[in-house]
């Protein structure tokens, strides 16, 4: 059975012009021609075309493809082994590229335009990208999420470091409050809860008291957020949640 140039072009996903060119340079000469001179391709021609397209996909120029296919010392199995090896290398390279693109997408989603070294310097092991998917699932599309992305997209390394220093200073004051036995509904605790709310408003988005109460509940319910706060002092997440609730009540 043989096939016309149009049929082969359709099978292989190439243009008729490409097949004509391959014929003209002797890379793929059809095994038959009709009396009218039309090209007809047999099974052996299709096999050769498949080999050509493999090598072309891997970036080989046409002259090198011709040399490889016409090497009398190379059998079809050797071609397959070579292609498998080359494809394996390319797959690993593409995987690495895909991983790099994914990291860039995550950083863009969170508006964090820092190098990995800068992110580590600013945040240590508290990578701000680790909750990207959940953050977008919970709040993606909200005004607060949109505003946070808009603001943080402009932040420099210095901005992130100032934000981190403010947060850490606040954590030290809250830790001292708890060490002194301060109650979550005490004035000092409520003042620190208000400072926490305003910190969010300064750096990320306008945080209403209702939104702040919701965040307080999440700090306790979500083990990752709870671990972050409790790493400063066990029980800090729950204490802060109660202080946030008390602060919201006194402003209602």
């Amino acid at each position: 059975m043989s096939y016309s140039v149009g049929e082969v072009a359709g099978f292989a996903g190439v243009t008729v012009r490409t097949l004509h060119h391959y014929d003209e340079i002797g890379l793929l000469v059809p095994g038959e021609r009709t009396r009218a001179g039309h090209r007809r391709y047999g099974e052996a021609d299709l096999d050769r075309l498949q080999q050509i397209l493999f090598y072309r996909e891997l970036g080989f120029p046409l002259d090198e493809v011709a040399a490889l296919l016409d090497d009398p010392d190379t059998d079809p199995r050797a071609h397959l082994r070579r292609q498998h090896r080359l494809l394996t290398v390319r797959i690993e390279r593409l995987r690495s590229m895909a991983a790099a693109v994914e990291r860039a997408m995550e950083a863009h989603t969170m508006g964090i335009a820092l190098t990995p070294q800068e992110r580590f310097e600013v945040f240590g092991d508290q990578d701000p990208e680790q909750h990207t998917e959940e953050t977008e699932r919970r709040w993606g599309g909200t005004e607060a999420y949109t505003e946070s992305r808009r603001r943080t997209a402009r932040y420099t390394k210095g901005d992130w470091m100032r934000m981190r220093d403010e947060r850490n200073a606040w954590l030290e004051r809250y830790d001292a409050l708890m060490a002194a036995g301060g109650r979550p509904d005490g004035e000092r605790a409520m003042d620190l809860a208000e400072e926490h709310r305003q910190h969010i408003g300064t750096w990320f988005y306008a945080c209403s008291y209702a939104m702040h109460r919701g965040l307080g509940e999440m700090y306790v319910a979500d083990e990752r957020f709870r671990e972050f706060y409790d790493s400063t002092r066990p029980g800090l997440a729950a204490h802060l949640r109660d202080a946030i609730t008390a602060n919201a009540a006194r402003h209602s």
Side-chain angles (χ1 to χ4, degrees), residues 6 15 46 59 62 68 82 102 114 126 142 153 164 169 183 185 204 218 220:
T15 65
L46 296 182
L62 291 178
L68 287 168
R82 179 188 294 117
E102 287 172 5
L114 302 177
Q126 296 297 329
T142 65
R164 178 205 61 185
R183 292 173 50 84
D185 57 354
F204 301 104
M218 185 184 68
V220 175

Side-chain angles (χ1 to χ4, degrees), residues 163-181:
M163 185 276 292
R164 178 205 61 185
D165 292 343
E166 288 182 14
R167 180 200 65 188
N168 290 345
W170 176 89
L171 278 169
E172 289 179 5
R173 293 196 299 277
Y174 208 99
D175 180 42
L177 166 76
M178 291 184 65

Side-chain angles (χ1 to χ4, degrees), residues 125-139:
D125 60 357
Q126 296 297 329
D127 188 345
E129 295 180 14
Q130 63 183 323
H131 302 307
T132 298
E133 183 177 344
E134 182 172 355
T135 299
E136 188 163 8
R137 179 177 60 81
R138 289 191 179 192
W139 296 292

Side-chain angles (χ1 to χ4, degrees), residues 66-232:
L68 287 168
L69 295 183
D70 295 334
D71 183 352
D73 296 327
T74 304
D75 62 26
R77 288 174 298 179
H79 282 298
L80 291 174
R81 286 193 296 270
R82 179 188 294 117
Q83 289 164 0
H84 182 270
R85 183 177 67 256
L86 293 171
L87 285 169
T88 299
V89 171
R90 183 172 184 183
I91 287 169
E92 289 305 314
R93 180 171 177 271
L94 289 174
R95 283 176 177 166
S96 297
M97 292 173 63
V101 171
E102 287 172 5
R103 288 194 296 272
M105 289 169 61
E106 289 174 359
H108 178 74
T109 298
M110 291 299 291
I112 299 170
L114 302 177
T115 67
Q117 292 81 3
E118 288 175 330
R119 285 200 297 272
F120 185 82
E121 181 179 348
V122 174
F123 299 105
D125 60 357
Q126 296 297 329
D127 188 345
E129 295 180 14
Q130 63 183 323
H131 302 307
T132 298
E133 183 177 344
E134 182 172 355
T135 299
E136 188 163 8
R137 179 177 60 81
R138 289 191 179 192
W139 296 292
T142 65
E143 290 184 11
Y145 181 79
T146 301
E147 176 65 10
S148 179
R149 284 188 59 189
R150 185 187 67 79
R151 292 192 198 181
T152 57
R154 302 195 304 267
Y155 288 170
T156 64
K157 175 184 174 182
D159 293 326
W160 285 110
M161 293 186 76
R162 284 191 293 275
M163 185 276 292
R164 178 205 61 185
D165 292 343
E166 288 182 14
R167 180 200 65 188
N168 290 345
W170 176 89
L171 278 169
E172 289 179 5
R173 293 196 299 277
Y174 208 99
D175 180 42
L177 166 76
M178 291 184 65
R183 292 173 50 84
D185 57 354
E187 184 173 354
R188 181 57 181 154
M190 289 188 289
D191 287 346
L192 284 170
E194 176 65 16
E195 187 178 335
H196 182 276
R197 186 184 72 86
Q198 292 181 10
H199 175 83
I200 295 171
T202 298
W203 288 98
F204 301 104
Y205 54 85
C207 183
S208 68
Y209 289 104
M211 292 175 68
H212 203 208
R213 283 198 302 269
L215 289 174
E217 294 297 336
M218 185 184 68
Y219 295 157
V220 175
D222 190 302
E223 64 180 12
R224 292 165 296 179
F225 288 97
R226 186 172 65 249
E227 180 181 356
F228 168 73
Y229 285 106
D230 286 359
S231 65
T232 296

